[in-house]
PDB file of all heavy atoms in Angstrom:
ATOM      1  N   GLU A   1      30.481   1.744   6.751  1.00  0.00           N
ATOM      2  CA  GLU A   1      30.434   0.330   7.138  1.00  0.00           C
ATOM      3  C   GLU A   1      30.112   0.169   8.608  1.00  0.00           C
ATOM      4  O   GLU A   1      30.757   0.759   9.460  1.00  0.00           O
ATOM      5  CB  GLU A   1      31.771  -0.325   6.827  1.00  0.00           C
ATOM      6  CG  GLU A   1      31.802  -1.821   7.128  1.00  0.00           C
ATOM      7  CD  GLU A   1      33.100  -2.463   6.695  1.00  0.00           C
ATOM      8  OE1 GLU A   1      33.278  -2.680   5.472  1.00  0.00           O
ATOM      9  OE2 GLU A   1      33.937  -2.747   7.569  1.00  0.00           O
ATOM     10  N   LEU A   2      29.077  -0.636   8.883  1.00  0.00           N
ATOM     11  CA  LEU A   2      28.686  -0.979  10.246  1.00  0.00           C
ATOM     12  C   LEU A   2      28.661  -2.484  10.394  1.00  0.00           C
ATOM     13  O   LEU A   2      28.562  -3.215   9.397  1.00  0.00           O
ATOM     14  CB  LEU A   2      27.302  -0.407  10.583  1.00  0.00           C
ATOM     15  CG  LEU A   2      27.142   1.116  10.515  1.00  0.00           C
ATOM     16  CD1 LEU A   2      25.684   1.492  10.779  1.00  0.00           C
ATOM     17  CD2 LEU A   2      28.036   1.809  11.533  1.00  0.00           C
ATOM     18  N   TRP A   3      28.759  -2.953  11.619  1.00  0.00           N
ATOM     19  CA  TRP A   3      28.663  -4.385  11.905  1.00  0.00           C
ATOM     20  C   TRP A   3      27.456  -4.642  12.813  1.00  0.00           C
ATOM     21  O   TRP A   3      27.302  -3.984  13.845  1.00  0.00           O
ATOM     22  CB  TRP A   3      29.937  -4.873  12.583  1.00  0.00           C
ATOM     23  CG  TRP A   3      31.093  -4.953  11.647  1.00  0.00           C
ATOM     24  CD1 TRP A   3      31.986  -3.950  11.390  1.00  0.00           C
ATOM     25  CD2 TRP A   3      31.518  -6.070  10.873  1.00  0.00           C
ATOM     26  NE1 TRP A   3      32.921  -4.378  10.462  1.00  0.00           N
ATOM     27  CE2 TRP A   3      32.660  -5.680  10.139  1.00  0.00           C
ATOM     28  CE3 TRP A   3      31.028  -7.374  10.715  1.00  0.00           C
ATOM     29  CZ2 TRP A   3      33.314  -6.537   9.262  1.00  0.00           C
ATOM     30  CZ3 TRP A   3      31.692  -8.234   9.844  1.00  0.00           C
ATOM     31  CH2 TRP A   3      32.814  -7.807   9.123  1.00  0.00           C
ATOM     32  N   GLU A   4      26.590  -5.567  12.380  1.00  0.00           N
ATOM     33  CA  GLU A   4      25.464  -5.997  13.222  1.00  0.00           C
ATOM     34  C   GLU A   4      25.953  -7.177  14.057  1.00  0.00           C
ATOM     35  O   GLU A   4      26.187  -8.257  13.551  1.00  0.00           O
ATOM     36  CB  GLU A   4      24.273  -6.412  12.353  1.00  0.00           C
ATOM     37  CG  GLU A   4      23.063  -6.867  13.144  1.00  0.00           C
ATOM     38  CD  GLU A   4      21.915  -7.316  12.260  1.00  0.00           C
ATOM     39  OE1 GLU A   4      21.579  -6.582  11.290  1.00  0.00           O
ATOM     40  OE2 GLU A   4      21.350  -8.415  12.523  1.00  0.00           O
ATOM     41  N   ILE A   5      26.095  -6.955  15.357  1.00  0.00           N
ATOM     42  CA  ILE A   5      26.688  -7.937  16.255  1.00  0.00           C
ATOM     43  C   ILE A   5      25.589  -8.581  17.103  1.00  0.00           C
ATOM     44  O   ILE A   5      24.780  -7.873  17.724  1.00  0.00           O
ATOM     45  CB  ILE A   5      27.734  -7.281  17.180  1.00  0.00           C
ATOM     46  CG1 ILE A   5      28.847  -6.611  16.347  1.00  0.00           C
ATOM     47  CG2 ILE A   5      28.319  -8.302  18.140  1.00  0.00           C
ATOM     48  CD1 ILE A   5      29.805  -5.783  17.164  1.00  0.00           C
ATOM     49  N   HIS A   6      25.558  -9.894  17.122  1.00  0.00           N
ATOM     50  CA  HIS A   6      24.677 -10.655  18.020  1.00  0.00           C
ATOM     51  C   HIS A   6      25.583 -11.337  19.032  1.00  0.00           C
ATOM     52  O   HIS A   6      26.394 -12.210  18.649  1.00  0.00           O
ATOM     53  CB  HIS A   6      23.849 -11.675  17.243  1.00  0.00           C
ATOM     54  CG  HIS A   6      22.938 -11.055  16.233  1.00  0.00           C
ATOM     55  ND1 HIS A   6      21.603 -10.874  16.473  1.00  0.00           N
ATOM     56  CD2 HIS A   6      23.170 -10.559  14.981  1.00  0.00           C
ATOM     57  CE1 HIS A   6      21.041 -10.288  15.427  1.00  0.00           C
ATOM     58  NE2 HIS A   6      21.990 -10.109  14.513  1.00  0.00           N
ATOM     59  N   ALA A   7      25.464 -10.955  20.299  1.00  0.00           N
ATOM     60  CA  ALA A   7      26.449 -11.390  21.282  1.00  0.00           C
ATOM     61  C   ALA A   7      25.809 -11.724  22.619  1.00  0.00           C
ATOM     62  O   ALA A   7      24.724 -11.261  22.953  1.00  0.00           O
ATOM     63  CB  ALA A   7      27.503 -10.288  21.487  1.00  0.00           C
ATOM     64  N   ARG A   8      26.515 -12.551  23.357  1.00  0.00           N
ATOM     65  CA  ARG A   8      26.216 -12.791  24.785  1.00  0.00           C
ATOM     66  C   ARG A   8      27.146 -11.852  25.589  1.00  0.00           C
ATOM     67  O   ARG A   8      28.360 -11.958  25.475  1.00  0.00           O
ATOM     68  CB  ARG A   8      26.501 -14.252  25.155  1.00  0.00           C
ATOM     69  CG  ARG A   8      25.450 -15.227  24.680  1.00  0.00           C
ATOM     70  CD  ARG A   8      24.496 -15.579  25.806  1.00  0.00           C
ATOM     71  NE  ARG A   8      23.372 -16.363  25.324  1.00  0.00           N
ATOM     72  CZ  ARG A   8      23.281 -17.685  25.406  1.00  0.00           C
ATOM     73  NH1 ARG A   8      24.289 -18.371  25.909  1.00  0.00           N
ATOM     74  NH2 ARG A   8      22.208 -18.293  24.989  1.00  0.00           N
ATOM     75  N   PHE A   9      26.542 -10.968  26.375  1.00  0.00           N
ATOM     76  CA  PHE A   9      27.361  -9.959  27.082  1.00  0.00           C
ATOM     77  C   PHE A   9      26.661  -9.561  28.363  1.00  0.00           C
ATOM     78  O   PHE A   9      25.439  -9.376  28.401  1.00  0.00           O
ATOM     79  CB  PHE A   9      27.560  -8.739  26.167  1.00  0.00           C
ATOM     80  CG  PHE A   9      28.532  -7.736  26.710  1.00  0.00           C
ATOM     81  CD1 PHE A   9      29.900  -7.932  26.568  1.00  0.00           C
ATOM     82  CD2 PHE A   9      28.080  -6.601  27.357  1.00  0.00           C
ATOM     83  CE1 PHE A   9      30.809  -6.994  27.055  1.00  0.00           C
ATOM     84  CE2 PHE A   9      28.973  -5.661  27.852  1.00  0.00           C
ATOM     85  CZ  PHE A   9      30.340  -5.863  27.713  1.00  0.00           C
ATOM     86  N   ASP A  10      27.448  -9.445  29.431  1.00  0.00           N
ATOM     87  CA  ASP A  10      26.945  -8.986  30.718  1.00  0.00           C
ATOM     88  C   ASP A  10      26.761  -7.474  30.664  1.00  0.00           C
ATOM     89  O   ASP A  10      27.710  -6.711  30.844  1.00  0.00           O
ATOM     90  CB  ASP A  10      27.911  -9.386  31.835  1.00  0.00           C
ATOM     91  CG  ASP A  10      27.422  -8.994  33.214  1.00  0.00           C
ATOM     92  OD1 ASP A  10      26.297  -8.442  33.322  1.00  0.00           O
ATOM     93  OD2 ASP A  10      28.141  -9.207  34.194  1.00  0.00           O
ATOM     94  N   THR A  11      25.541  -7.025  30.414  1.00  0.00           N
ATOM     95  CA  THR A  11      25.279  -5.603  30.210  1.00  0.00           C
ATOM     96  C   THR A  11      25.107  -4.832  31.521  1.00  0.00           C
ATOM     97  O   THR A  11      25.210  -3.605  31.525  1.00  0.00           O
ATOM     98  CB  THR A  11      24.014  -5.403  29.368  1.00  0.00           C
ATOM     99  OG1 THR A  11      22.888  -6.001  30.032  1.00  0.00           O
ATOM    100  CG2 THR A  11      24.190  -6.018  27.996  1.00  0.00           C
ATOM    101  N   THR A  12      24.831  -5.540  32.602  1.00  0.00           N
ATOM    102  CA  THR A  12      24.517  -4.850  33.862  1.00  0.00           C
ATOM    103  C   THR A  12      25.593  -5.026  34.929  1.00  0.00           C
ATOM    104  O   THR A  12      25.628  -4.252  35.895  1.00  0.00           O
ATOM    105  CB  THR A  12      23.183  -5.348  34.439  1.00  0.00           C
ATOM    106  OG1 THR A  12      23.268  -6.774  34.668  1.00  0.00           O
ATOM    107  CG2 THR A  12      22.046  -5.078  33.450  1.00  0.00           C
ATOM    108  N   GLY A  13      26.431  -6.059  34.784  1.00  0.00           N
ATOM    109  CA  GLY A  13      27.441  -6.315  35.801  1.00  0.00           C
ATOM    110  C   GLY A  13      26.980  -7.219  36.925  1.00  0.00           C
ATOM    111  O   GLY A  13      27.637  -7.337  37.955  1.00  0.00           O
ATOM    112  N   ASN A  14      25.820  -7.900  36.700  1.00  0.00           N
ATOM    113  CA  ASN A  14      25.292  -8.791  37.736  1.00  0.00           C
ATOM    114  C   ASN A  14      25.810 -10.235  37.600  1.00  0.00           C
ATOM    115  O   ASN A  14      25.404 -11.119  38.340  1.00  0.00           O
ATOM    116  CB  ASN A  14      23.779  -8.794  37.738  1.00  0.00           C
ATOM    117  CG  ASN A  14      23.184  -9.332  36.439  1.00  0.00           C
ATOM    118  OD1 ASN A  14      23.921  -9.716  35.518  1.00  0.00           O
ATOM    119  ND2 ASN A  14      21.859  -9.353  36.344  1.00  0.00           N
ATOM    120  N   GLY A  15      26.701 -10.468  36.630  1.00  0.00           N
ATOM    121  CA  GLY A  15      27.276 -11.805  36.437  1.00  0.00           C
ATOM    122  C   GLY A  15      26.523 -12.667  35.471  1.00  0.00           C
ATOM    123  O   GLY A  15      26.966 -13.796  35.193  1.00  0.00           O
ATOM    124  N   PHE A  16      25.393 -12.202  34.935  1.00  0.00           N
ATOM    125  CA  PHE A  16      24.614 -12.966  33.975  1.00  0.00           C
ATOM    126  C   PHE A  16      24.654 -12.301  32.617  1.00  0.00           C
ATOM    127  O   PHE A  16      24.522 -11.063  32.513  1.00  0.00           O
ATOM    128  CB  PHE A  16      23.147 -13.102  34.435  1.00  0.00           C
ATOM    129  CG  PHE A  16      22.987 -13.896  35.682  1.00  0.00           C
ATOM    130  CD1 PHE A  16      22.913 -13.260  36.939  1.00  0.00           C
ATOM    131  CD2 PHE A  16      22.908 -15.286  35.651  1.00  0.00           C
ATOM    132  CE1 PHE A  16      22.781 -13.996  38.097  1.00  0.00           C
ATOM    133  CE2 PHE A  16      22.773 -16.016  36.813  1.00  0.00           C
ATOM    134  CZ  PHE A  16      22.702 -15.377  38.036  1.00  0.00           C
ATOM    135  N   GLU A  17      24.851 -13.097  31.573  1.00  0.00           N
ATOM    136  CA  GLU A  17      24.958 -12.546  30.210  1.00  0.00           C
ATOM    137  C   GLU A  17      23.579 -12.410  29.560  1.00  0.00           C
ATOM    138  O   GLU A  17      22.724 -13.281  29.710  1.00  0.00           O
ATOM    139  CB  GLU A  17      25.844 -13.442  29.350  1.00  0.00           C
ATOM    140  CG  GLU A  17      27.309 -13.473  29.769  1.00  0.00           C
ATOM    141  CD  GLU A  17      28.155 -14.338  28.877  1.00  0.00           C
ATOM    142  OE1 GLU A  17      27.714 -15.469  28.573  1.00  0.00           O
ATOM    143  OE2 GLU A  17      29.227 -13.882  28.468  1.00  0.00           O
ATOM    144  N   ASP A  18      23.389 -11.311  28.835  1.00  0.00           N
ATOM    145  CA  ASP A  18      22.194 -11.087  28.064  1.00  0.00           C
ATOM    146  C   ASP A  18      22.498 -11.310  26.590  1.00  0.00           C
ATOM    147  O   ASP A  18      23.627 -11.126  26.134  1.00  0.00           O
ATOM    148  CB  ASP A  18      21.687  -9.648  28.246  1.00  0.00           C
ATOM    149  CG  ASP A  18      21.293  -9.353  29.684  1.00  0.00           C
ATOM    150  OD1 ASP A  18      20.417 -10.060  30.197  1.00  0.00           O
ATOM    151  OD2 ASP A  18      21.864  -8.404  30.278  1.00  0.00           O
ATOM    152  N   ASP A  19      21.473 -11.698  25.816  1.00  0.00           N
ATOM    153  CA  ASP A  19      21.606 -11.773  24.380  1.00  0.00           C
ATOM    154  C   ASP A  19      21.260 -10.399  23.808  1.00  0.00           C
ATOM    155  O   ASP A  19      20.130  -9.910  24.004  1.00  0.00           O
ATOM    156  CB  ASP A  19      20.665 -12.835  23.782  1.00  0.00           C
ATOM    157  CG  ASP A  19      21.140 -14.253  24.103  1.00  0.00           C
ATOM    158  OD1 ASP A  19      22.312 -14.515  23.876  1.00  0.00           O
ATOM    159  OD2 ASP A  19      20.337 -15.046  24.606  1.00  0.00           O
ATOM    160  N   VAL A  20      22.213  -9.779  23.153  1.00  0.00           N
ATOM    161  CA  VAL A  20      22.020  -8.414  22.643  1.00  0.00           C
ATOM    162  C   VAL A  20      22.278  -8.369  21.144  1.00  0.00           C
ATOM    163  O   VAL A  20      22.999  -9.212  20.594  1.00  0.00           O
ATOM    164  CB  VAL A  20      22.931  -7.398  23.363  1.00  0.00           C
ATOM    165  CG1 VAL A  20      22.563  -7.312  24.846  1.00  0.00           C
ATOM    166  CG2 VAL A  20      24.400  -7.762  23.205  1.00  0.00           C
ATOM    167  N   GLU A  21      21.714  -7.360  20.515  1.00  0.00           N
ATOM    168  CA  GLU A  21      21.891  -7.103  19.078  1.00  0.00           C
ATOM    169  C   GLU A  21      22.345  -5.654  18.942  1.00  0.00           C
ATOM    170  O   GLU A  21      21.594  -4.731  19.287  1.00  0.00           O
ATOM    171  CB  GLU A  21      20.569  -7.328  18.353  1.00  0.00           C
ATOM    172  CG  GLU A  21      20.610  -6.987  16.873  1.00  0.00           C
ATOM    173  CD  GLU A  21      19.214  -7.075  16.240  1.00  0.00           C
ATOM    174  OE1 GLU A  21      18.453  -7.973  16.605  1.00  0.00           O
ATOM    175  OE2 GLU A  21      18.938  -6.209  15.387  1.00  0.00           O
ATOM    176  N   VAL A  22      23.573  -5.453  18.497  1.00  0.00           N
ATOM    177  CA  VAL A  22      24.184  -4.130  18.510  1.00  0.00           C
ATOM    178  C   VAL A  22      24.667  -3.771  17.115  1.00  0.00           C
ATOM    179  O   VAL A  22      25.315  -4.575  16.444  1.00  0.00           O
ATOM    180  CB  VAL A  22      25.354  -4.080  19.514  1.00  0.00           C
ATOM    181  CG1 VAL A  22      26.039  -2.704  19.480  1.00  0.00           C
ATOM    182  CG2 VAL A  22      24.891  -4.419  20.926  1.00  0.00           C
ATOM    183  N   LEU A  23      24.352  -2.553  16.664  1.00  0.00           N
ATOM    184  CA  LEU A  23      24.888  -2.024  15.425  1.00  0.00           C
ATOM    185  C   LEU A  23      26.091  -1.164  15.793  1.00  0.00           C
ATOM    186  O   LEU A  23      25.976  -0.200  16.550  1.00  0.00           O
ATOM    187  CB  LEU A  23      23.825  -1.206  14.712  1.00  0.00           C
ATOM    188  CG  LEU A  23      23.919  -1.090  13.205  1.00  0.00           C
ATOM    189  CD1 LEU A  23      23.912  -2.469  12.554  1.00  0.00           C
ATOM    190  CD2 LEU A  23      22.780  -0.262  12.634  1.00  0.00           C
ATOM    191  N   PHE A  24      27.257  -1.525  15.263  1.00  0.00           N
ATOM    192  CA  PHE A  24      28.532  -1.012  15.801  1.00  0.00           C
ATOM    193  C   PHE A  24      29.412  -0.500  14.661  1.00  0.00           C
ATOM    194  O   PHE A  24      29.552  -1.140  13.616  1.00  0.00           O
ATOM    195  CB  PHE A  24      29.236  -2.154  16.549  1.00  0.00           C
ATOM    196  CG  PHE A  24      30.463  -1.768  17.303  1.00  0.00           C
ATOM    197  CD1 PHE A  24      30.385  -0.923  18.413  1.00  0.00           C
ATOM    198  CD2 PHE A  24      31.708  -2.270  16.952  1.00  0.00           C
ATOM    199  CE1 PHE A  24      31.512  -0.572  19.135  1.00  0.00           C
ATOM    200  CE2 PHE A  24      32.850  -1.936  17.660  1.00  0.00           C
ATOM    201  CZ  PHE A  24      32.744  -1.074  18.754  1.00  0.00           C
ATOM    202  N   HIS A  25      30.041   0.661  14.900  1.00  0.00           N
ATOM    203  CA  HIS A  25      30.999   1.252  13.948  1.00  0.00           C
ATOM    204  C   HIS A  25      32.388   1.050  14.504  1.00  0.00           C
ATOM    205  O   HIS A  25      32.742   1.607  15.538  1.00  0.00           O
ATOM    206  CB  HIS A  25      30.700   2.737  13.767  1.00  0.00           C
ATOM    207  CG  HIS A  25      31.536   3.375  12.700  1.00  0.00           C
ATOM    208  ND1 HIS A  25      32.475   4.345  12.977  1.00  0.00           N
ATOM    209  CD2 HIS A  25      31.588   3.196  11.353  1.00  0.00           C
ATOM    210  CE1 HIS A  25      33.054   4.730  11.848  1.00  0.00           C
ATOM    211  NE2 HIS A  25      32.544   4.043  10.851  1.00  0.00           N
ATOM    212  N   VAL A  26      33.182   0.227  13.849  1.00  0.00           N
ATOM    213  CA  VAL A  26      34.465  -0.193  14.378  1.00  0.00           C
ATOM    214  C   VAL A  26      35.516   0.921  14.459  1.00  0.00           C
ATOM    215  O   VAL A  26      36.157   1.091  15.503  1.00  0.00           O
ATOM    216  CB  VAL A  26      35.025  -1.407  13.586  1.00  0.00           C
ATOM    217  CG1 VAL A  26      36.438  -1.748  14.028  1.00  0.00           C
ATOM    218  CG2 VAL A  26      34.103  -2.615  13.762  1.00  0.00           C
ATOM    219  N   PRO A  27      35.730   1.739  13.423  1.00  0.00           N
ATOM    220  CA  PRO A  27      36.795   2.736  13.493  1.00  0.00           C
ATOM    221  C   PRO A  27      36.670   3.687  14.691  1.00  0.00           C
ATOM    222  O   PRO A  27      37.659   4.085  15.285  1.00  0.00           O
ATOM    223  CB  PRO A  27      36.684   3.476  12.158  1.00  0.00           C
ATOM    224  CG  PRO A  27      36.076   2.472  11.242  1.00  0.00           C
ATOM    225  CD  PRO A  27      35.108   1.707  12.083  1.00  0.00           C
TER     226      PRO A  27
END
């Protein structure tokens, strides 16, 4: 089981959020 996550997240640490698409394994 994986989760396809569409999120607003500050990926660089510059204070601005990017729109990202991440395939994530929770356990």
Side-chain angles (χ1 to χ4, degrees):
E1 182 174 285
L2 300 176
W3 288 88
E4 181 182 313
I5 301 172
H6 298 261
R8 284 261 172 97
F9 188 80
D10 183 1
T11 59
T12 60
N14 63 0
F16 294 95
E17 293 182 314
D18 297 302
D19 288 311
V20 296
E21 176 187 322
V22 178
L23 207 57
F24 188 66
H25 186 246
V26 173

